[in-house]
């Protein structure tokens, strides 16, 4: 990791330059709205970025944009993260390409169709496989690597949907609940050691995933708002972060509502 602190002026002297940390970052699911917004924050800091996802053209476009925004280097890797059979081997290849890794963001997932998942076991399995099974494999692979390295951070995108099962999205919510428990367990293992792991739980966010919803009201956040929480979580804070912050208190109330009251709510 390098720090640049000065630059030569046109008059031949030296002038202060904002500190830029050359952080090596792997983003899994880099075409998601939140991931792209987070990558822009890293680019502004002068990071080296490896963008991983399925859409080659979209990844290439994002990489070009990030380079223009200040990233030291941008690379892409085209793969189906949910279909990976050996996350540890593939991760090793990503790290070798980047020359090491400091931060990792896991940002991929699907909302799925709750009504279809209720009627069709294949849809339920798809939601659970993408949002939990595959993500868990990547979490364990990355966590092992960071633990052996003795430093670095992993941020995982979860959801407030995992805090309490609701009729609208309980299959998706179950996957995110499992993901949060896994992250908290790894954070407990990391306690007193160098690495860190955080699950960031956004509330409703204006992204491609929510394109079919009515996205109005004060509880909706932009991808950029969530990205600020994600970037901060990589450096500091506890193992669970809500985005925006007020969802911590909203979900606290929802979790402790008595069932007779909760069951009357259309949420």
């Amino acid at each position: 990791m390098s720090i640049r602190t000065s630059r030569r002026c046109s008059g031949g002297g030296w002038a202060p330059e904002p500190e830029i940390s050359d952080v090596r970052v792997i983003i899994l699911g880099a075409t998601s709205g939140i991931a792209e917004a987070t990558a822009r924050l890293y680019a502004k800091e002068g990071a080296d970025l490896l963008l991983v996802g399925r859409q080659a053209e979209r990844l290439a476009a994002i990489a070009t944009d990030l380079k223009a925004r200040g990233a030291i280097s941008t690379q892409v890797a085209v793969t189906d993260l949910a279909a990976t059979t050996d996350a540890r081997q593939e991760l090793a290849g990503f790290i070798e390409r980047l020359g090491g890794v400091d931060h990792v963001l896991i940002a991929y997932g699907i909302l799925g169709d709750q009504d279809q998942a209720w009627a069709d076991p294949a849809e339920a399995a798809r939601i659970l496989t993408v949002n939990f099974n595959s993500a868990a494999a990547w979490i364990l692979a990355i966590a092992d690597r960071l633990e052996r390295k003795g430093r670095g951070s992993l941020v995982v995108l979860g959801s407030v949907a995992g805090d309490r099962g609701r009729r609208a999205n309980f299959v998706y919510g179950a996957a995110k609940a499992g993901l949060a428990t896994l992250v908290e367990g790894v954070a407990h293992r990391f306690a007193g050691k160098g690495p860190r792991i955080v699950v960031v739980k956004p509330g409703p966010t204006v992204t491609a995933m929510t394109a079919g919803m009515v996205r109005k009201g004060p509880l909706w956040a932009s991808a950029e708002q969530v990205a600020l929480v994600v970037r901060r979580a990589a450096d500091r804070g506890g193992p669970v972060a809500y985005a925006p912050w007020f969802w911590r208190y909203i979900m606290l109330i929802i979790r402790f509502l008595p069932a007779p009251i909760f069951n009357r709510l259309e949420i």
Side-chain angles (χ1 to χ4, degrees):
M1 184 184 302
S2 63
I3 306 292
R4 296 175 289 158
T5 58
S6 61
R7 62 184 178 188
R8 187 176 294 277
C9 296
S10 57
W14 293 89
E17 180 179 88
E19 288 195 356
I20 302 178
S21 300
D22 189 3
V23 180
R24 297 161 299 183
V25 186
I26 297 174
I27 301 181
L28 305 183
T31 59
S32 84
I34 294 171
E36 184 178 358
T38 305
R40 288 176 177 176
L41 297 177
Y42 276 113
K44 187 177 179 181
E45 297 171 18
D48 292 296
L49 293 154
L50 176 60
L51 312 175
V52 186
R54 294 182 300 170
Q55 304 172 47
E57 291 185 5
R58 179 72 181 128
L59 286 171
I62 294 172
T64 299
D65 176 70
L66 294 175
K67 196 71 168 61
R69 291 174 183 269
I72 298 299
S73 69
T74 57
Q75 301 182 58
V76 302
V78 181
T79 189
D80 186 346
L81 294 161
T84 296
T85 57
D86 191 342
R88 292 176 186 245
Q89 182 177 346
E90 198 156 2
L91 175 67
F94 295 158
I95 294 173
E96 183 177 359
R97 284 184 59 180
L98 199 56
V101 65
D102 301 299
H103 294 178
V104 182
L105 169 61
I106 298 179
Y108 72 93
I110 58 171
L111 186 60
D113 187 301
Q114 174 62 49
D115 291 336
Q116 186 179 346
W118 177 260
D120 182 0
E123 174 66 4
R126 184 177 77 98
I127 295 170
L128 294 170
T129 296
V130 173
N131 292 313
F132 179 75
N133 296 57
S134 71
W138 284 106
I139 288 170
L140 293 173
I142 296 161
D144 177 65
R145 189 80 179 217
L146 295 182
E147 184 176 65
R148 286 189 283 117
K149 182 181 179 181
R151 65 182 180 86
S153 67
L154 168 59
V155 179
V156 180
L157 278 186
S159 172
V160 296
D163 280 16
R164 187 167 186 174
R166 297 180 293 116
R167 62 173 65 97
N169 61 358
F170 55 79
V171 177
Y172 172 81
K176 291 299 187 179
L179 209 61
T181 299
L182 179 62
V183 169
E184 290 183 69
V186 174
H188 196 195
R189 180 184 175 99
F190 281 174
K193 302 177 183 179
R196 62 182 286 101
I197 182 171
V198 183
V199 59
V200 173
K201 299 182 178 184
T205 307
V206 179
T207 64
M209 181 183 284
T210 59
M213 301 180 183
V214 179
R215 302 184 296 189
K216 296 180 180 179
L219 297 183
W220 281 85
S222 66
E224 289 74 19
Q225 287 175 296
V226 176
L228 290 171
V229 178
V230 171
R231 178 64 191 91
R232 184 168 59 248
D235 293 331
R236 60 185 185 275
V240 180
Y242 287 81
W245 61 269
F246 54 74
W247 278 103
R248 179 181 299 274
Y249 303 101
I250 293 174
M251 296 314 299
L252 181 66
I253 294 169
I254 289 175
R255 283 200 307 273
F256 286 99
L257 280 175
I261 298 174
F262 180 75
N263 290 341
R264 292 200 296 268
L265 300 177
E266 292 295 330
I267 59 173

